[in-house]
Amino acid sequence: MTTLSCLKAVKRDMNGKRAAVVNPPAEIITEFIGDRSGSVYSMGDSQKLGFQKFCSDRKKDAETTGAKVSLSFTTFDNIAETWYENVNVKDLPDTFLSNDLEKWWSARGTTRLVDTMCERLVIFKGRLQAAHERLKSSGAANTKVTGIAAISTDGMDNASYLHSPAKVHKLVSDLRSMGATMLFLAANQDAFVTAAAFGFAPGNALTMGATPQQTQAAYRSASAAVTRGASGLNTGFTQMERQASAPIPHHSAPPASSAAMFPVPVGGYQRAMAPPSNMRMQTIHSFGSGGGGSRGHSGVASHTPPPPPARLATLAAAAAALRAGIPLPPRLVRTTAGIHPIN
């Protein structure tokens, strides 16, 4: 009889527990970056529920693999806020306080995707390198480190100007060459196209609908992919996961009055809307490891950035051009789902 080589990693025993993972890692380092910009309002509470399950599953991964599993968690709109920094998942509460979930995920602001990814992936890369070196120098029998990062967004960037998509592409490529799994979930766009511009593998890109049901399905799929990665299995999204998360055209089509979407180019970065030069952007870091929702102290670092680069076009001009039937300039495109709003 033919058997699957991965059968022991997925089959459960009579008590409903997963079989021991073959060659488990000593450490599993996870990074979760989530979009909370104003347009995620259509997703309802699905991101809160999805993140709760994501963290519960990481606790199960720690039990199944015997590895130390750590989590860093950041949400962003035009401000990036890191709520957990390299926290052992065993120290996370079993259920997050509703006030905390609201504070982390309530919809607001614009979309600072590129800058947030650059800042967080630099830290994630350094953390992986440090773990490898620490385990090697300790003489431990098991020096295997698994790194998994998941990024979720519902629109194109319209608030970053410190970093470029090309830098994100380089970081993602470097992390993949180090063996890290990089997951990219995106709504209101073709996730394959955006993920390719950022350097993600096609199999690890997931297009999701912007409804509560589809978003929650996408978060379940991402969590399942992380568990597969922790067990040494293929992290690519399955066809069933893609179908469960896929947008429904009559749900995901934007209103006819929406302005055009600006896709992310690898070679350069221009926006139709950039924050004014006197806007103070904040990166807020919270550190802590205690359970019960406690996260220790917070520190806020703010700076006044230089003026942003020249704008490609104003939203009003772009919308007027579309209404008049004038061809759009390069990188201003109409998608198959219609004309998408900028968050």
Side-chain angles (χ1 to χ4, degrees), residues 28-32 54 57-58 61 65 69-71 146-150 181-183 185 204 219-237 241:
I28 301 171
I29 299 174
T30 55
E31 181 85 27
F32 192 100
F54 184 91
D57 288 348
R58 303 295 72 78
D61 290 345
T65 63
V69 181
S70 62
L71 171 72
T146 295
I148 306 174
T181 295
M182 309 296 293
L183 306 176
L185 287 66
N204 288 336
Y219 272 58
R220 286 196 300 268
S221 298
S223 188
V226 173
T227 292
R228 292 195 294 271
S231 301
L233 304 178
N234 189 335
T235 58
F237 293 110
E241 289 169 341

Coordinates of all heavy atoms in Angstrom, one line a residue, residues 28-32 54 57-58 61 65 69-71 146-150 181-183 185 204 219-237 241:
I28 N 10.7 28.6 16.5 CA 9.9 29.1 15.4 C 9.6 30.6 15.7 O 9.0 31.0 16.7 CB 8.5 28.3 15.4 CG1 8.8 26.8 15.2 CG2 7.6 28.9 14.2 CD1 7.5 26.0 15.3
I29 N 10.1 31.4 14.8 CA 9.9 32.9 14.9 C 8.9 33.4 14.0 O 9.0 33.2 12.8 CB 11.3 33.6 14.7 CG1 12.3 33.1 15.7 CG2 11.1 35.1 14.8 CD1 13.7 33.6 15.5
T30 N 7.8 34.0 14.5 CA 6.7 34.4 13.6 C 6.6 35.9 13.7 O 6.7 36.5 14.8 CB 5.4 33.7 14.0 OG1 5.1 34.0 15.4 CG2 5.4 32.3 13.8
E31 N 6.2 36.5 12.6 CA 6.0 37.9 12.5 C 4.6 38.1 11.8 O 4.4 37.6 10.7 CB 7.1 38.6 11.6 CG 7.0 40.1 11.4 CD 7.6 40.9 12.6 OE1 8.5 40.4 13.2 OE2 7.1 42.0 12.8
F32 N 3.8 38.9 12.4 CA 2.4 39.2 11.8 C 2.3 40.7 11.7 O 2.4 41.4 12.6 CB 1.3 38.6 12.7 CG 0.0 38.6 12.0 CD1 -0.5 37.4 11.5 CD2 -0.8 39.7 11.9 CE1 -1.8 37.4 10.8 CE2 -2.0 39.8 11.3 CZ -2.5 38.6 10.7
F54 N -5.2 32.8 15.1 CA -3.8 32.7 14.7 C -2.9 32.5 15.9 O -2.0 31.6 15.9 CB -3.4 34.0 13.9 CG -2.0 34.0 13.4 CD1 -1.7 33.5 12.1 CD2 -0.9 34.5 14.2 CE1 -0.4 33.5 11.6 CE2 0.4 34.5 13.7 CZ 0.6 34.0 12.4
D57 N -3.5 29.0 17.5 CA -2.8 28.0 16.7 C -1.3 28.0 17.0 O -0.6 26.9 16.9 CB -3.1 28.2 15.3 CG -4.5 27.8 14.9 OD1 -5.2 27.2 15.7 OD2 -4.9 28.1 13.8
R58 N -0.7 29.1 17.2 CA 0.7 29.2 17.5 C 1.0 28.5 18.9 O 2.1 27.8 19.0 CB 1.3 30.6 17.6 CG 1.0 31.4 16.3 CD 1.7 30.9 15.1 NE 1.2 29.7 14.5 CZ 0.1 29.6 13.8 NH1 -0.6 30.7 13.5 NH2 -0.2 28.5 13.2
D61 N 1.1 24.9 18.0 CA 2.4 24.6 17.3 C 3.5 24.3 18.3 O 4.3 23.4 18.1 CB 2.8 25.7 16.3 CG 1.9 25.8 15.2 OD1 1.1 24.9 14.9 OD2 1.9 26.9 14.5
T65 N 5.3 20.7 18.3 CA 6.7 20.6 17.9 C 7.7 20.6 19.0 O 8.8 20.1 18.9 CB 7.1 21.8 17.0 OG1 7.0 23.0 17.7 CG2 6.2 21.9 15.8
V69 N 8.2 29.0 20.4 CA 7.5 29.8 19.4 C 7.3 31.2 19.9 O 6.8 31.4 21.0 CB 6.1 29.2 19.1 CG1 5.5 30.0 18.0 CG2 6.3 27.7 18.6
S70 N 7.9 32.2 19.1 CA 7.7 33.6 19.5 C 6.9 34.3 18.5 O 6.8 33.9 17.3 CB 9.1 34.2 19.6 OG 9.8 34.2 18.4
L71 N 6.3 35.4 18.9 CA 5.5 36.2 18.0 C 5.8 37.7 18.2 O 5.9 38.2 19.3 CB 4.0 36.0 18.4 CG 3.0 36.9 17.7 CD1 2.8 36.5 16.2 CD2 1.6 36.8 18.3
T146 N 13.0 28.1 12.4 CA 12.0 28.3 11.3 C 11.5 29.7 11.5 O 11.0 30.1 12.6 CB 10.8 27.3 11.4 OG1 11.4 25.9 11.2 CG2 9.7 27.6 10.4
G147 N 11.5 30.5 10.4 CA 11.0 31.8 10.4 C 9.8 31.9 9.5 O 9.8 31.5 8.3
I148 N 8.7 32.5 9.9 CA 7.5 32.7 9.1 C 6.9 34.0 9.4 O 6.6 34.4 10.5 CB 6.4 31.6 9.5 CG1 7.0 30.2 9.4 CG2 5.2 31.7 8.6 CD1 6.1 29.1 9.8
A149 N 6.7 34.8 8.3 CA 6.1 36.1 8.4 C 4.8 36.2 7.5 O 4.8 35.6 6.4 CB 7.1 37.2 7.9
A150 N 3.8 36.8 8.1 CA 2.5 36.9 7.4 C 2.1 38.4 7.3 O 2.1 39.0 8.4 CB 1.4 36.1 8.1
T181 N 9.6 31.5 5.5 CA 8.4 31.5 4.7 C 7.7 32.8 4.8 O 7.5 33.4 5.9 CB 7.4 30.4 5.3 OG1 8.0 29.1 5.1 CG2 6.1 30.4 4.6
M182 N 7.4 33.4 3.7 CA 6.8 34.7 3.6 C 5.4 34.6 3.0 O 5.2 34.2 1.8 CB 7.7 35.6 2.8 CG 9.2 35.6 3.2 SD 9.4 36.3 4.8 CE 9.0 38.0 4.6
L183 N 4.4 35.0 3.8 CA 3.0 34.9 3.3 C 2.4 36.3 3.0 O 2.7 37.2 3.8 CB 2.1 34.2 4.4 CG 2.6 32.8 4.8 CD1 1.7 32.3 6.0 CD2 2.6 31.8 3.7
L185 N -1.3 38.2 2.1 CA -2.7 38.2 1.9 C -3.2 39.6 1.5 O -2.8 40.6 2.1 CB -3.4 37.8 3.2 CG -3.3 36.3 3.7 CD1 -1.9 35.9 4.1 CD2 -4.3 36.2 4.9
N204 N 2.6 31.4 -2.1 CA 2.3 32.0 -0.7 C 1.6 33.3 -0.8 O 1.6 34.1 0.2 CB 3.7 32.2 0.0 CG 4.3 30.8 0.4 OD1 3.6 29.9 0.6 ND2 5.6 30.8 0.6
Y219 N -7.6 34.3 7.0 CA -6.8 34.2 8.2 C -6.7 32.8 8.7 O -5.6 32.4 9.1 CB -7.4 35.1 9.3 CG -7.0 36.5 9.3 CD1 -7.1 37.3 8.2 CD2 -6.3 37.1 10.4 CE1 -6.7 38.6 8.1 CE2 -5.9 38.4 10.4 CZ -6.1 39.2 9.2 OH -5.6 40.5 9.2
R220 N -7.7 32.0 8.5 CA -7.6 30.6 8.9 C -6.6 29.9 7.9 O -5.8 29.1 8.4 CB -9.0 29.9 8.7 CG -10.0 30.2 9.9 CD -11.1 29.2 9.9 NE -11.9 29.2 8.6 CZ -12.9 29.9 8.4 NH1 -13.4 30.8 9.3 NH2 -13.6 29.9 7.2
S221 N -6.6 30.2 6.7 CA -5.7 29.7 5.7 C -4.3 30.0 6.0 O -3.4 29.2 6.0 CB -6.1 30.1 4.3 OG -7.4 29.7 3.9
A222 N -4.1 31.3 6.4 CA -2.7 31.7 6.8 C -2.2 31.0 8.0 O -1.1 30.6 8.1 CB -2.7 33.2 7.0
S223 N -3.1 30.8 9.0 CA -2.7 30.1 10.2 C -2.4 28.7 9.9 O -1.4 28.1 10.4 CB -3.8 30.2 11.2 OG -3.4 29.7 12.5
A224 N -3.2 28.1 9.0 CA -2.9 26.7 8.6 C -1.6 26.5 7.9 O -0.8 25.6 8.1 CB -4.0 26.1 7.8
A225 N -1.3 27.5 7.1 CA 0.0 27.5 6.3 C 1.2 27.7 7.3 O 2.2 27.0 7.1 CB 0.1 28.7 5.3
V226 N 1.0 28.5 8.3 CA 2.1 28.6 9.4 C 2.3 27.3 10.1 O 3.4 26.9 10.3 CB 1.8 29.7 10.4 CG1 2.8 29.8 11.5 CG2 1.7 31.1 9.6
T227 N 1.2 26.6 10.4 CA 1.3 25.3 11.1 C 2.0 24.3 10.2 O 2.9 23.5 10.7 CB -0.1 24.8 11.5 OG1 -0.6 25.6 12.5 CG2 0.0 23.4 12.0
R228 N 1.7 24.3 8.9 CA 2.4 23.4 8.0 C 3.9 23.7 8.0 O 4.7 22.8 7.9 CB 1.8 23.5 6.6 CG 0.4 23.0 6.5 CD 0.0 22.8 5.0 NE -0.2 24.0 4.3 CZ -1.2 24.8 4.2 NH1 -2.4 24.4 4.8 NH2 -1.3 25.8 3.4
G229 N 4.2 25.0 7.9 CA 5.6 25.4 8.0 C 6.3 25.0 9.2 O 7.5 24.6 9.2
A230 N 5.7 25.1 10.4 CA 6.2 24.7 11.6 C 6.5 23.2 11.6 O 7.4 22.7 12.3 CB 5.3 25.1 12.8
S231 N 5.7 22.4 10.9 CA 5.8 21.0 10.8 C 6.7 20.5 9.7 O 6.9 19.3 9.5 CB 4.5 20.3 10.7 OG 3.6 20.7 11.7
G232 N 7.3 21.5 9.0 CA 8.2 21.1 7.9 C 7.5 20.7 6.6 O 8.1 20.1 5.7
L233 N 6.2 21.1 6.5 CA 5.4 20.8 5.3 C 5.3 22.0 4.3 O 5.8 23.1 4.6 CB 4.0 20.3 5.7 CG 4.0 19.1 6.7 CD1 2.6 18.8 7.0 CD2 4.7 17.9 6.1
N234 N 4.7 21.7 3.2 CA 4.6 22.8 2.2 C 3.6 23.9 2.7 O 2.5 23.6 3.1 CB 4.0 22.2 0.9 CG 4.0 23.1 -0.3 OD1 4.0 24.3 -0.1 ND2 4.0 22.6 -1.5
T235 N 4.1 25.1 2.6 CA 3.3 26.2 3.1 C 2.5 26.9 2.1 O 1.7 27.9 2.4 CB 4.3 27.3 3.7 OG1 5.2 27.7 2.7 CG2 5.0 26.8 4.9
G236 N 2.5 26.4 0.8 CA 1.7 27.0 -0.2 C 0.2 26.9 0.1 O -0.2 25.9 0.7
F237 N -0.6 27.9 -0.3 CA -2.0 27.8 -0.1 C -2.6 26.8 -1.0 O -2.3 26.7 -2.2 CB -2.7 29.2 -0.3 CG -2.3 30.2 0.7 CD1 -1.4 31.3 0.4 CD2 -2.7 30.1 2.0 CE1 -1.1 32.2 1.3 CE2 -2.3 31.1 3.0 CZ -1.5 32.1 2.6
E241 N -8.3 26.4 0.1 CA -8.1 27.6 0.9 C -8.3 28.8 0.0 O -8.9 29.8 0.4 CB -6.7 27.6 1.5 CG -6.5 26.6 2.6 CD -5.1 26.5 3.1 OE1 -4.2 26.8 2.3 OE2 -4.9 25.9 4.2

